[in-house]
Amino acid sequence: MAYYLGIDGGGSKTYALICDEQGRILGKGRSGNGNHQTSVTQAENSIREAAFSALAEAGLRLDQLRQAYLGLAGADRQTDYNILHPLIRRIGFAQYTISGDTMIGLRAGTDRPYGVALICGTGTNAAGLSPQGRHFQCGGFDYMYGDFGGGGALNIEVFRTVIRAWDGREAPTLLTQPLLRLLGYEHVEDMYDDFLDHGKQVPLDAARLLFPAAAEGDAAALAILNRQGVELGKSAAAVIHRLGMENDEFDVVLAGSLLTRGDRGWIRGPIEQAVREAAPRGAVVTLSTEPVVGALWSALESDGITVSQEMYETMRAYKEFELIPTIITRQE
């Protein structure tokens, strides 16, 4: 019997799943931050803890794994891989593949081993894998390097929109009162002075204020969300064109909290338009499966195993890590 491990190493949590060649889940583990860009030591400890917890539940040793696939936040450039490969080998992995977490989100969101993924959570990212196996990542860094949006930028857009409405540069906005309540002020002037005087930072939660304001027709909120959609659409089109996928049939998988919770098409609409123009046979879908499932499928495929339709239908229903069932079969 062959055994496979998938790991989703994010900035706040790390998940691990083990299955056999038939796709039966034998063990799972979880830990904290798995992004080496935050802390190499913490990421190494988290990946080790999650992996060995899953192994313990499955009754397996690390050397019994046929293949491991690790989708890790921060695995973006060769500089990152120069850090990550020694880190993973120190843990004891021999047969393994590392990719960015964008790629396991892509794999979890489609029944094909190729396509395009768009992430819009704290930040934004876009990446794709062509049917021929070519990979391209567009963005994933910050505004200076061409990106726009994500919670770590839209929160600033909310704040500055309220300021500009208050000082007269923009029309009044429905974002004002919700932002004041969130930050604990009665008047915009008090907020303005306190932030300036004490160098305060706008919390990420401010970005979520855009959705209820947009639902009430606020022009400023609608404009910000539309711009986010347009920018993500440009990223999707760039990936499609770079990989030569204009005539292919594939999915564009939307992942990240700002795309999967709250959006009523304000962001998705411009993305769909951009995808239609770049690749008429491309379909935009929303990720609902735990990304770690995509890591597990990728581990199987790295060993030449095709994910069957039955396996796909069973495992795509795993939407919350804690609810993923395991078959406890202690191995010799």
Side-chain angles (χ1 to χ4, degrees), residues 210-230:
L210 290 164
F211 297 115
E216 294 186 47
D218 184 71
L222 288 167
I224 293 170
L225 292 175
N226 179 263
R227 182 183 178 191
Q228 179 69 90
V230 169

Side-chain angles (χ1 to χ4, degrees), residues 7 14 33-49 52 62 70 72-73 80-94 96 98:
I7 288 183
T14 298
N33 168 53
N35 188 339
H36 74 284
Q37 293 180 356
T38 303
S39 167
V40 172
T41 301
Q42 187 179 20
E44 182 174 342
N45 290 338
S46 295
I47 294 167
R48 179 184 289 107
E49 182 179 1
F52 279 88
L62 185 61
L70 301 95
L72 305 177
D80 299 305
Y81 286 90
N82 291 343
I83 296 169
L84 289 169
H85 282 294
L87 183 158
I88 298 305
R89 288 194 289 267
R90 281 197 300 270
I91 295 173
F93 288 99
Y96 69 89
I98 302 174

